[in-house]
Amino acid sequence: MHHRDSMGYEDTVSDGGVQWMCAGSGVMHEETIPAAKRLLGVQLWLNMPAAEKMTRPHYHAIRGADIETIRIEGGELRLLAGRYVDAEGRLHVGYQGEHLPLDYYDLGVEPGKTVAIDVDEDRSVLAFTLEGSARVGGLPVGPKTAVRLEGGDRVVIEGKDERAQVLLMSSKRLDEPVAWGGPIVMSTREELMDAFRELEDGSFLKEGSLRD
């Protein structure tokens, strides 16, 4: 997938890679999808605190080869972002965003095996079955299904007859209002309408190029 944007970034994301983009005060971007027999990807939107929504936009790419894969009981964990403490107490550190703590794991759950992941009780937690099906928190979850989890400090994922790939995300709970319209997310309806007016009059983009 080829990316380019109004900040001047141009990048190609290949197998196993991740792109992080902070939209901040506003950015225009496009992703061009090449012809392929099979292409599988996920886009995750993370709401920013109201006080930081107008920060400078930023882009960061991570190659698949640079993402750590950790063997865990019942399968493996690719550390897409944040931190993970393994069974021996070793701390593994992945990409760290500037605005919110985010632990983002790509879990491979072996058939008939169980993966257990500790999470902070005060975080918002989401699981998504990217490939295959599994039992999450004791409930059956089919392929391509998102599950929001509440309460407790551990997520238990049980594999079925085939290997499952499950994305597990946890981040700080903001408990702030969200105003969402198309590609724009703000905190109030008034802010959202202002942003759309700026799109129409050409004043939406407020920052120039910013590179790593």
Side-chain angles (χ1 to χ4, degrees):
M1 181 179 71
H2 188 74
H3 166 92
R4 67 174 184 169
D5 60 45
S6 56
M7 297 180 290
Y9 292 108
E10 193 161 348
D11 184 51
T12 299
V13 180
S14 56
D15 289 351
V18 177
Q19 61 172 194
W20 294 95
M21 186 170 66
C22 173
S25 61
V27 61
M28 303 293 285
H29 66 99
E30 68 174 13
E31 272 64 44
T32 305
I33 308 299
K37 291 183 178 179
R38 185 173 185 268
L39 189 66
L40 184 63
V42 173
Q43 186 179 80
L44 171 68
W45 288 31
L46 189 66
N47 187 37
M48 290 176 61
E52 300 179 42
K53 272 192 169 63
M54 300 306 288
T55 191
R56 295 190 72 182
H58 187 74
Y59 179 89
H60 180 77
I62 306 174
R63 304 291 175 243
D66 296 328
I67 296 174
E68 183 181 10
T69 298
I70 306 161
R71 287 297 306 174
I72 60 176
E73 185 174 352
E76 65 180 22
L77 180 153
R78 294 180 70 233
L79 184 55
L80 304 183
R83 301 182 174 198
Y84 174 74
V85 178
D86 64 26
E88 284 72 41
R90 291 189 296 264
L91 174 64
H92 302 260
V93 180
Y95 175 72
Q96 303 282 307
E98 296 180 17
H99 304 282
L100 280 175
L102 171 68
D103 292 333
Y104 193 1
Y105 307 149
D106 178 5
L107 301 172
V109 184
E110 297 298 332
K113 301 294 185 179
T114 298
V115 167
I117 302 293
D118 293 332
V119 295
D120 293 337
E121 290 190 53
D122 61 348
R123 284 194 171 196
S124 293
V125 181
L126 181 76
F128 179 70
T129 48
L130 183 61
E131 290 194 295
S133 57
R135 294 182 67 86
V136 181
L139 299 176
V141 181
K144 308 293 188 297
T145 302
V147 179
R148 181 182 175 185
L149 303 168
E150 295 182 342
D153 58 3
R154 173 169 283 201
V155 178
V156 177
I157 302 171
E158 303 168 71
K160 292 189 175 182
D161 296 335
E162 297 181 349
R163 187 180 188 274
Q165 185 178 4
V166 181
L167 301 179
L168 184 66
M169 301 144 260
S170 70
S171 186
K172 179 181 178 181
R173 187 187 304 275
L174 292 180
D175 293 324
E176 293 182 354
V178 174
W180 171 38
I184 300 176
V185 179
M186 301 300 290
S187 298
T188 68
R189 180 70 179 174
E190 292 74 17
E191 291 174 347
L192 185 63
M193 298 310 296
D194 286 344
F196 276 109
R197 279 192 290 270
E198 290 175 349
L199 269 178
E200 292 179 358
D201 66 23
S203 62
F204 181 74
L205 298 178
K206 300 172 179 61
E207 300 287 350
S209 177
L210 175 65
R211 294 183 178 275
D212 285 341

